[in-house]
Amino acid sequence: KAQQRAVTERKIAEKRIHALHELNVAITSTLELQKVLDILLEKIDIVLPHSAARVRLFNKDSGLLEVAASRNFEEAEWKQCWKERPGPAEQVYAAKTPLAILDVQTDPRIADPDFLRRQGLVSYLGIPLTGKDETLGVLSFYTKEKHQFSGGEVEFFQTLAGEAAVAISNSQLYERVKNLADELAASNRVKDEFLSIMSHELRTPISLIMGYTAMLADGAFVETNP
């Protein structure tokens, strides 16, 4: 049994290392946030099958943790539920530390266990997405069966979340720079249009003034003194 356990643990470790490597290669190949998040959840499904996963990112404008990507969730009912009641992800974000709950259907910290029963979700693990000294959001897992997350699993998912957080931070920075570039281009277009309109609007009266001045100088109306 000990030998079988060792073989099983080695296979799990190999699978995790492989997943981390694939994740690192994949998320560094793109700066598009949605692609980064989709890749992250796809790799999680390999190491934690038969589970539901979700990424929620903190929106500084709304002050809320908003869903950025999810996998294996019934979205419509979920969105309605968590608009009304905060979940464990808010606790993870506030404490900035992992949170494991063995049974979300009976745990007193869960606001709506009936909803989770309907979804068939049992155990929970939440990991803060911390990158570049900033907590960006929360990576959450829900398993379909009761699952005691081991210290090794929590450590692995923290490593995975750390890599993902850096990629998310880079993607968000790219989006901000891209938006600034678009705003600058739009500003330049407005400036050019404004100058074109003002040039046209000024040119007409100035031309008239210059014409009348020339006619006055030539004595076209009356004789002018020095």
Side-chain angles (χ1 to χ4, degrees):
K1 288 184 178 179
Q3 187 176 1
Q4 287 180 342
R5 193 185 310 113
V7 171
T8 301
E9 289 176 354
R10 187 176 71 250
K11 287 182 179 179
I12 292 172
E14 289 173 354
K15 185 184 287 188
R16 290 174 181 172
I17 291 170
H18 182 65
L20 280 174
H21 172 70
E22 285 196 342
L23 174 67
N24 188 53
V25 171
I27 63 179
T28 53
S29 67
T30 180
L31 282 170
E32 294 184 32
L33 180 59
Q34 198 57 54
K35 284 186 179 180
V36 169
L37 298 177
D38 289 343
I39 291 166
L40 170 63
L41 296 185
E42 179 185 334
K43 299 308 175 188
I44 288 170
D45 206 37
I46 295 171
V47 294
L48 193 65
H50 313 299
S51 66
R54 162 162 288 151
V55 176
R56 295 176 66 186
L57 299 178
F58 184 73
N59 186 320
K60 293 180 180 178
D61 294 328
S62 67
L64 299 172
L65 280 174
E66 298 180 352
V67 175
S70 62
R71 191 177 181 89
N72 301 329
F73 275 102
E74 294 291 336
E75 287 299 328
E77 188 180 3
W78 184 276
K79 287 179 180 178
Q80 182 59 37
C81 173
W82 294 113
K83 277 182 182 177
E84 300 168 357
R85 302 177 186 87
E90 280 77 11
Q91 299 173 41
V92 174
Y93 184 82
K96 301 190 179 357
T97 57
L99 172 64
I101 299 175
L102 183 60
D103 191 343
V104 292
Q105 298 180 4
T106 59
D107 193 284
R109 290 170 291 184
I110 302 302
D112 191 353
D114 289 336
F115 165 76
L116 295 170
R117 289 190 193 99
R118 292 195 300 272
Q119 295 278 323
L121 304 175
V122 184
S123 298
Y124 171 83
L125 176 64
I127 305 289
L129 286 163
T130 304
K132 299 182 179 179
D133 300 322
E134 181 183 8
T135 301
L136 306 174
V138 176
L139 175 60
S140 295
F141 312 95
Y142 288 87
T143 62
K144 302 289 185 178
E145 297 177 356
K146 189 172 288 189
H147 181 82
Q148 181 74 58
F149 287 96
S150 67
E153 283 180 304
V154 174
E155 185 178 349
F156 164 74
F157 284 119
Q158 280 183 289
T159 302
L160 183 144
E163 290 192 10
V166 172
I168 290 169
S169 179
N170 290 339
S171 296
Q172 290 178 331
L173 177 60
Y174 168 74
E175 289 293 331
R176 286 197 293 270
V177 171
K178 185 172 177 291
N179 290 338
L180 284 173
D182 291 342
E183 290 174 9
L184 181 60
S187 176
N188 285 336
R189 284 196 299 272
V190 171
K191 181 192 71 174
D192 292 342
E193 289 174 7
F194 172 76
L195 291 176
S196 175
I197 291 169
M198 291 305 298
S199 175
H200 178 268
E201 293 299 320
L202 287 171
R203 192 181 300 119
T204 301
I206 288 175
S207 297
L208 288 172
I209 291 169
M210 291 177 66
Y212 282 126
T213 303
M215 292 172 71
L216 285 170
D218 293 339
F221 298 118
V222 295
E223 185 177 346
T224 55
N225 60 32

